[in-house]
Amino acid sequence: MVTAAGELDIATAVHTDAIFTAASSGAQPDVVIDLRQVTFLDCAGARPVATAARRIREAGGSLTLLAEHPMVLKVLRLHHLTPDRASSAEGAVPAQHPPAYPPVVLRCNHRCGLRSER
């Protein structure tokens, strides 16, 4: 599992890309990227996520994206990293306190046909 927090933008893209590359290497990687603590995501920050998704798809692995913030979900949608209708995934990961937004779990199968899970 890779957890990101704060802002993912042009200032953090190179560092984020290196971490996501390491996490998504190997044969049939099974990767979880937790973006629930991300407060800002722009196109430069989403590019490493999209690159990791492509790398994982090509290796026949699976990707799970955890996201909550509506603006993060919007940018992920613009990069075709979420289904059109993402549903809440209550109880996906236990929380110490109620989240500001309902968590969303996005799964990518080996073809990167993303689907949401409850």
Side-chain angles (χ1 to χ4, degrees), residues 98-109:
Y101 306 99
V104 175
V105 177
L106 309 164
R107 294 272 306 154
C108 178
N109 63 19

Side-chain angles (χ1 to χ4, degrees), residues 7-116:
E7 299 181 358
L8 296 183
D9 55 17
I10 195 162
T12 61
V14 172
H15 181 69
T16 304
D17 188 49
I19 293 169
F20 291 170
T21 296
S24 62
S25 62
Q28 295 184 330
D30 185 18
V31 180
V32 177
I33 298 177
D34 187 345
L35 303 174
R36 291 175 295 167
Q37 296 178 45
V38 172
T39 57
F40 178 80
L41 179 68
D42 67 6
C43 291
R47 193 167 296 118
V49 179
T51 301
R54 186 183 71 245
R55 187 179 301 110
I56 292 164
R57 178 188 67 233
E58 290 170 355
S62 68
L63 170 64
T64 301
L65 293 174
L66 302 175
E68 289 181 356
H69 198 284
M71 293 308 293
V72 171
L73 289 168
K74 181 177 183 177
V75 173
L76 292 174
R77 263 189 211 102
L78 290 172
H79 281 81
H80 305 288
L81 292 169
T82 66
D84 289 334
R85 301 178 127 221
S87 62
S88 294
E90 293 180 26
V93 176
Q96 302 259 349
H97 42 75
Y101 306 99
V104 175
V105 177
L106 309 164
R107 294 272 306 154
C108 178
N109 63 19
H110 70 279
R111 290 182 216 86
C112 257
L114 286 167
R115 63 191 185 282
S116 61

